[in-house]
Amino acid sequence: MNNVQTLRHDLVDIVGELHAALREIGNEQLPQTTIVNNARDRLRYIASLTEQSASQTLHAAESISDSLHDQKKRARQLLRKVRSPEALVFLRDLEVQHAQALGQVSEIIQAQAFQDLVGQVINKLMLTIEKMETSLAHLLLDEEADAGLLAGPQVRSEEQISQADIDNLFD
């Protein structure tokens, strides 16, 4: 085998492996993606679900954070007005609990930021796979064609028919 044939054989193997990997991704039975048939479409769908989930979680965490800040502010205002020892203990404990809860909300927001990055990586991966597949396919198809294969049937000059002869057949 010469170098061109070896390269072509390797490229065919790479394209085959790429298609096999996409088929594997597409054949996994994911419960929310059974309506999508194509592996690329499944990955896009998963990225979309990931983005939606991250967005919903971030909005909920931000809402919780806002509520906790409001409660903390009101608790501080009450702390200045309340004289009951039990109420003072409760409001001080509440302030500590708010600080802990706000820390947990921050962790949720950080985790969702990571989830958003996962969706971005999936989208970039899909673009890379599509570019690779297109490039490899062009490499395999753009090979110089043998001139003899595209020449069509060869007719001796004495047997050639002119356009006028063909037109006369239809008259």
Side-chain angles (χ1 to χ4, degrees), residues 109-156:
I109 290 172
Q110 288 175 356
Q112 285 310 113
F114 174 76
Q115 195 70 5
D116 185 45
L117 289 175
V118 169
Q120 290 176 22
V121 168
I122 289 173
N123 287 332
K124 287 180 182 179
L125 179 63
M126 287 307 308
L127 288 173
T128 301
I129 288 172
E130 288 174 9
K131 286 179 184 177
M132 282 177 45
E133 190 175 26
T134 301
S135 297
L136 289 172
H138 282 293
L139 277 175
L140 293 173
L141 298 176
D142 289 346
E143 202 175 277
E144 283 187 41
D146 183 359
L149 292 177
L150 298 177
Q154 298 297 315
V155 180
R156 292 185 299 225

Side-chain angles (χ1 to χ4, degrees), residues 36-166:
V36 183
N37 295 324
N38 186 304
R40 276 185 226 108
D41 290 341
R42 282 185 182 219
L43 282 176
R44 281 188 198 100
Y45 185 65
I46 290 169
S48 171
L49 289 177
T50 301
E51 183 180 343
Q52 288 174 4
S53 173
S55 178
Q56 289 172 344
T57 305
L58 282 173
H59 289 301
E62 289 170 352
S63 176
I64 291 169
S65 178
D66 291 344
S67 295
L68 287 172
H69 281 294
D70 289 344
Q71 288 177 4
K72 188 176 181 179
K73 183 179 174 183
R74 288 178 52 210
R76 281 186 180 162
Q77 291 170 348
L78 282 175
L79 194 57
R80 291 186 214 130
K81 296 178 182 180
V82 173
R83 304 244 184 247
S84 165
E86 289 178 20
L88 288 171
V89 170
F90 172 76
L91 290 172
R92 287 186 186 122
D93 288 346
L94 188 62
E95 191 170 1
V96 170
Q97 291 173 359
H98 278 124
Q100 291 171 346
L102 284 169
Q104 293 168 343
V105 168
S106 292
E107 288 180 28
I108 291 171
I109 290 172
Q110 288 175 356
Q112 285 310 113
F114 174 76
Q115 195 70 5
D116 185 45
L117 289 175
V118 169
Q120 290 176 22
V121 168
I122 289 173
N123 287 332
K124 287 180 182 179
L125 179 63
M126 287 307 308
L127 288 173
T128 301
I129 288 172
E130 288 174 9
K131 286 179 184 177
M132 282 177 45
E133 190 175 26
T134 301
S135 297
L136 289 172
H138 282 293
L139 277 175
L140 293 173
L141 298 176
D142 289 346
E143 202 175 277
E144 283 187 41
D146 183 359
L149 292 177
L150 298 177
Q154 298 297 315
V155 180
R156 292 185 299 225
S157 61
E158 64 269 1
E159 295 177 2
Q160 290 181 354
I161 301 173
S162 70
Q163 184 64 42
D165 293 335
I166 292 173

Side-chain angles (χ1 to χ4, degrees), residues 1-11 143:
M1 240 198 275
N2 64 25
N3 289 340
V4 173
Q5 289 173 333
T6 303
L7 179 62
R8 180 174 170 73
H9 179 71
D10 291 345
L11 288 174
E143 202 175 277

